[in-house]
Amino acid sequence: MNITEKILSAHLISGKLMAGEEIGIKIDQTLTQDSTGTMAYLEFEAMGLKKVCTELSVSYVDHNMLQQSYENADDHRFIQTAANKFGAIFSKPGNGICHQLHLERFARPGKTLLGSDSHTPTCGGLGMVAIGAGGMDVAVAMGGGPYYLTMPDIINIRFSGKLRPWVSAKDVILYILKLLTVKGGVGKIFEYSGEGLKSLSVTDRGTIANMGAELGATTSVFPSDERTLEFLKQQGREKDYIPLEADKDAVYSEIINIDLELIEPMVALPHSPDNVIAVKDAVYAGTAKKEIKVHQVAIGSCTNSSYTDLMKAARLLENKRVHPDVSLVISPGSKQVLSAIARNGALNIFLDAGARILECGCGPCIGMGQAPETKGISVRTFNRNFEGRCGTKSAGVYLVSPETAACTAIDGYLNHHIDEDAFMDSLESFQVNDSLFIYPSLNHEGEEAEIIKGPNIKEFPIGQRLDEDLETSVVLKTGDHITTDHIVPSGADLLPLRSNIPELSKHCYKNVDPEFAKRAKDSASGIIIGGRNYGQGSSREHAALVPLYLGIKAVLAISFARIHRSNLINTGIIPFVFAYAEDYEYIDVYDMIMIENIREQITNGDLIKAINKTKNREVIVKLELSQREKAIILAGGLLNDTKEKRIR
Ligand code: MIC
Ligand code: SF4
């Protein structure tokens, strides 16, 4: 068996480990963060669940920490009191980014982790099967229920060679994104192996696993080896170590060989993480310099905010000044990382160079401040550069390694650094201080503990049982690669509304079609037409709950991204797929779509006949759903389905 099969078979509850089959797996650990966590806990409560039944569940606050008004603080208090009541560990604001913290303090080789954030696979860097999902799936897992997924193909990426000095894990994953694109990982798990792994630390592996999400992959898995043990020792957790490797005769669907020696510094140009070229090609055309003038550099995010990442940047910034036209902002991934660089003097290197130090959290990555200037160029060590995500629609975001970011901050132009001096800075051990983790007071208050719901915590919409026929009008037609940031944007103005769906709904699709929210609300029932990879990006189930609130009954797309498709099903919105992609051309906004006997058609088959009444044309649509998912759709969402099953 390969590593993924070993872990999955030890956790298998239903189904067979055959690509394309639906499997149910036991989840050992869960994580939630604040911007998806409020919903996850409201759903946990609404499902009538009483106690967390996993080995470990952690509730982080890392996304929305601005507290410019009461909303965020209301959310934080709700999350803390809910975690306390239900039995989850609460990580206070300021402690750090969920993925960095989870890797440091809780990840364990051989275990499964489900998180309400798309970058949960980061912990795959430590030999876990770690998957991102919507809040409702995580709520079910917290309650001890299985997590269902379609068994992916397992692809083996084999590393040979060794990275050259000043080339890093970020360059490797950008290289893979160039190779495979943002849909190259859909329906796949990437399992890494090979001699080259020896030169990659756990946090390097975390960087690669983290951006597997940008490939659209279900997750990425690394072996657990001596580098894993080294990391766990640094964290005072060697007792959590078990070795884990693929059997010699393990079988994979595909093998991709990559020689690390050949990788050079890479950059993802605006506005997609797979728009990748070598930094030298971005900077030079032949020998002529193209000079990309940069206004902002940001180092941090769950991709690149580890101790080593920051130390690489510190090495380059030592005795240097940030270019006068550049604002350099640094957000350490965790309190542990921040205190380590405070203790060894690197923090002073940053301050002396002229960097701005932000709180340990997601910060600019999700548009919580540091929006670049109009038409600004921002060079970031982050994982997503979708248009407008940084808060400035006209800005261009470039994704790079910490090394390239630091060189760019000094030069004022996109640039990288290559010399033969290898960078080595590893800590024997971190000073562990878990003071910002609050353990639930299970023994005393537990059951009676009060959950505090301030005025920002509103009811969330629940779907309705599907009618016999569906008559609905097209309220939006999109192109390919629509992200959840398009559907429900984030940022400082909108993250405070994550627990307030009615308010949030006013902003749905606002950067794509400002009239959409009104049009959808005015129409009794709506359908959205999408292109390829519809709903890529984040795990936010708001991208389904908000359309549900606006009366959306179905999305008909050429293909869907995994997490969003599940979120649609869980809310009761039908994810139809065009049986013939060319039919996409013949549907327009305001067309009336009629599907007669939809319940019967769904129950009896996977091909459904729809009529475009406006165009007087038949459209055949597919429903690629398991029996379990069909039942959820017929019931009008997972919540109704769970209740129906309980009654029966
Ligand atoms: C993101 O990077 O887009 C987020 C914000 O972390 C999301 C979660 C969210 O929308 O709250 C994600 O990646 O799942
Ligand atoms: Fe936070 Fe950005 Fe990572 Fe999402 S991608 S979890 S916003 S740091």
Side-chain angles (χ1 to χ4, degrees):
M1 283 197 275
N2 55 47
I3 302 169
T4 312
E5 287 167 340
K6 287 184 188 185
I7 301 178
L8 289 180
S9 62
H11 291 83
L12 198 65
I13 291 177
S14 65
K16 286 204 198 80
L17 294 186
M18 278 170 56
E21 286 246 343
E22 185 176 83
I23 56 169
I25 56 168
K26 176 181 176 300
I27 295 298
D28 300 320
Q29 304 187 347
T30 65
L31 71 79
T32 54
Q33 40 87 340
D34 50 313
S35 63
T36 55
T38 45
M39 236 4 113
Y41 283 104
L42 285 171
E43 288 159 348
F44 187 90
E45 196 182 28
M47 279 186 245
L49 298 169
K50 298 277 182 259
K51 272 273 164 282
V52 164
C53 298
T54 52
E55 290 173 11
L56 174 106
S57 286
V58 191
S59 172
Y60 295 92
V61 174
D62 53 1
H63 279 64
N64 188 1
M65 311 210 285
L66 230 43
Q67 295 180 223
Q68 85 273 37
S69 175
Y70 66 92
E71 292 92 346
N72 301 0
D74 276 9
D75 286 358
H76 298 173
R77 183 63 62 207
F78 166 68
I79 292 172
Q80 178 166 8
T81 53
N84 178 52
K85 181 166 178 110
F86 298 135
I89 299 169
F90 176 67
S91 169
K92 287 176 84 173
N95 203 14
I97 306 174
C98 56
H99 310 303
Q100 173 69 24
L101 282 168
H102 209 84
L103 197 64
E104 287 173 3
R105 305 304 306 137
F106 302 114
R108 289 180 63 178
K111 298 281 179 187
T112 53
L113 165 70
L114 194 73
S116 64
D117 191 281
S118 64
H119 291 103
T120 303
T122 310
C123 285
L126 200 133
M128 296 186 93
V129 166
I131 302 178
M136 210 176 298
D137 284 330
V138 176
V140 170
M142 278 196 285
Y147 173 63
Y148 293 98
L149 71 157
T150 308
M151 179 64 194
D153 282 316
I154 302 171
I155 314 296
N156 182 208
I157 300 193
R158 283 187 194 166
F159 290 144
S160 58
K162 191 168 176 274
L163 287 177
R164 286 181 298 150
W166 304 103
V167 179
S168 72
K170 179 61 158 285
D171 301 308
V172 177
I173 188 63
L174 288 175
Y175 174 85
I176 297 174
L177 270 152
K178 177 180 167 64
L179 207 67
L180 303 179
T181 81
V182 289
K183 52 179 180 32
V186 175
K188 294 176 183 161
I189 291 181
F190 292 103
E191 190 174 303
Y192 289 86
S193 69
E195 273 297 292
L197 281 182
K198 286 201 182 114
S199 66
L200 299 175
S201 67
V202 163
T203 49
D204 290 337
R205 297 172 186 188
T207 298
I208 295 172
N210 174 281
M211 281 192 82
E214 277 51 64
L215 291 164
T218 304
T219 190
S220 302
V221 182
F222 282 81
S224 174
D225 56 13
E226 61 281 5
R227 299 303 307 258
T228 318
L229 180 59
E230 169 192 305
F231 178 82
L232 287 169
K233 273 189 185 154
Q234 286 175 338
Q235 294 293 332
R237 300 205 283 127
E238 55 264 57
K239 64 170 187 352
D240 290 344
Y241 176 72
I242 54 156
L244 206 55
E245 62 175 357
D247 294 336
K248 293 274 171 298
D249 56 353
V251 177
Y252 296 93
S253 310
E254 197 188 330
I255 296 172
I256 300 173
N257 288 299
I258 295 179
D259 182 353
L260 296 178
E261 196 85 35
L262 301 180
I263 294 188
E264 47 188 342
M266 308 296 280
V267 53
L269 309 175
H271 298 287
S272 179
D274 62 357
N275 195 8
V276 173
I277 59 172
V279 177
K280 73 171 184 334
D281 296 332
V283 175
Y284 291 99
T287 50
K289 215 155 184 219
K290 286 195 269 182
E291 302 208 314
I292 300 172
K293 181 146 179 66
V294 172
H295 308 100
Q296 181 191 58
V297 173
I299 299 178
S301 91
C302 56
T303 317
N304 277 126
S305 58
S306 67
Y307 172 77
T308 325
D309 286 335
L310 295 200
M311 288 310 296
K312 286 175 185 167
R315 269 291 175 87
L316 289 161
L317 284 158
E318 195 160 10
N319 301 322
K320 301 270 175 24
R321 286 272 303 278
V322 172
H323 188 278
D325 298 340
V326 173
S327 165
L328 169 64
V329 291
I330 298 177
S331 30
S334 69
K335 178 172 79 89
Q336 188 183 85
V337 170
L338 176 56
S339 68
I341 62 166
R343 238 176 275 120
N344 73 6
L347 184 58
N348 270 329
I349 297 180
F350 290 139
L351 294 173
D352 290 346
R356 298 165 65 184
I357 308 297
L358 304 179
E359 202 171 2
C360 304
C362 299
C365 179
I366 192 57
M368 295 305 288
Q370 275 63 47
E373 66 201 65
T374 306
K375 297 196 181 142
I377 297 295
S378 179
V379 171
R380 301 176 164 207
T381 65
F382 304 171
N383 49 36
R384 290 186 173 142
N385 58 348
F386 306 141
E387 188 178 16
R389 179 175 158 106
C390 61
T392 306
K393 198 167 176 206
S394 63
V397 172
Y398 292 63
L399 306 176
V400 299
S401 69
E403 293 90 325
T404 302
C407 295
T408 301
I410 298 162
D411 270 25
Y413 293 90
L414 180 68
N415 206 352
H416 65 55
H417 174 101
I418 293 268
D419 70 23
E420 290 316 309
D421 250 1
F423 167 82
M424 289 292 282
D425 198 327
S426 184
L427 268 186
E428 195 130 301
S429 63
F430 284 92
Q431 262 192 27
V432 174
N433 176 331
D434 285 338
S435 59
L436 294 188
F437 286 111
I438 311 295
Y439 281 72
S441 48
L442 276 182
N443 295 330
H444 24 290
E445 293 190 78
E447 296 286 320
E448 296 79 42
E450 189 198 355
I451 298 184
I452 301 176
K453 288 185 187 161
N456 196 44
I457 314 291
K458 296 274 190 291
E459 295 283 297
F460 63 93
I462 297 180
Q464 282 164 3
R465 195 181 139 79
L466 189 65
D467 286 338
E468 296 305 327
D469 303 321
L470 178 68
E471 182 160 23
T472 182
S473 87
V474 177
V475 283
L476 183 73
K477 183 172 178 182
T478 75
D480 292 341
H481 301 304
I482 280 292
T483 70
T484 54
D485 281 292
H486 287 120
I487 307 171
V488 174
S490 285
D493 50 342
L494 296 189
L495 271 194
L497 303 178
R498 283 290 182 92
S499 343
N500 187 342
I501 301 290
E503 265 314 299
L504 194 59
S505 74
K506 295 179 186 155
H507 305 271
C508 189
Y509 268 117
K510 75 172 180 188
N511 295 326
V512 174
D513 178 349
E515 301 305 314
F516 168 76
K518 190 177 174 320
R519 186 163 61 246
K521 193 108 211 321
D522 291 348
S523 159
S525 130
I527 180 168
I528 294 173
I529 308 299
R532 290 173 182 81
N533 203 15
Y534 181 89
Q536 67 160 327
S538 86
S539 69
R540 69 191 70 143
E541 61 191 328
H542 304 79
L545 285 168
V546 160
L548 175 74
Y549 179 82
L550 292 173
I552 301 302
K553 304 285 186 229
V555 179
L556 169 55
I558 299 176
S559 65
F560 286 93
R562 178 184 64 87
I563 308 180
H564 185 59
R565 174 187 168 279
S566 299
N567 286 340
L568 288 173
I569 296 168
N570 285 348
T571 51
I573 297 179
I574 315 171
F576 287 126
V577 176
F578 283 102
Y580 308 100
E582 55 275 21
D583 280 342
Y584 169 87
E585 304 300 333
Y586 301 101
I587 296 193
D588 295 298
V589 178
Y590 296 119
D591 284 1
M592 281 305 296
I593 308 294
M594 177 75 191
I595 306 182
E596 280 176 350
N597 302 322
I598 184 166
R599 288 191 71 88
E600 199 184 310
Q601 290 203 60
I602 290 181
T603 311
N604 295 336
D606 298 332
L607 284 180
I608 308 245
K609 196 171 92 179
I611 304 289
N612 182 339
K613 286 170 65 177
T614 314
K615 302 265 165 49
N616 199 13
R617 213 171 173 275
E618 190 180 274
V619 192
I620 302 295
V621 299
K622 279 191 292 189
L623 252 191
E624 296 168 329
L625 300 183
S626 66
Q627 289 307 324
R628 184 189 61 85
E629 289 170 328
K630 279 188 175 181
I632 296 175
I633 286 293
L634 292 174
L638 182 59
L639 220 66
N640 295 337
D641 184 50
T642 315
K643 278 192 198 137
E644 271 185 22
K645 287 206 175 108
R646 241 183 250 148
I647 293 163
R648 267 187 255 139

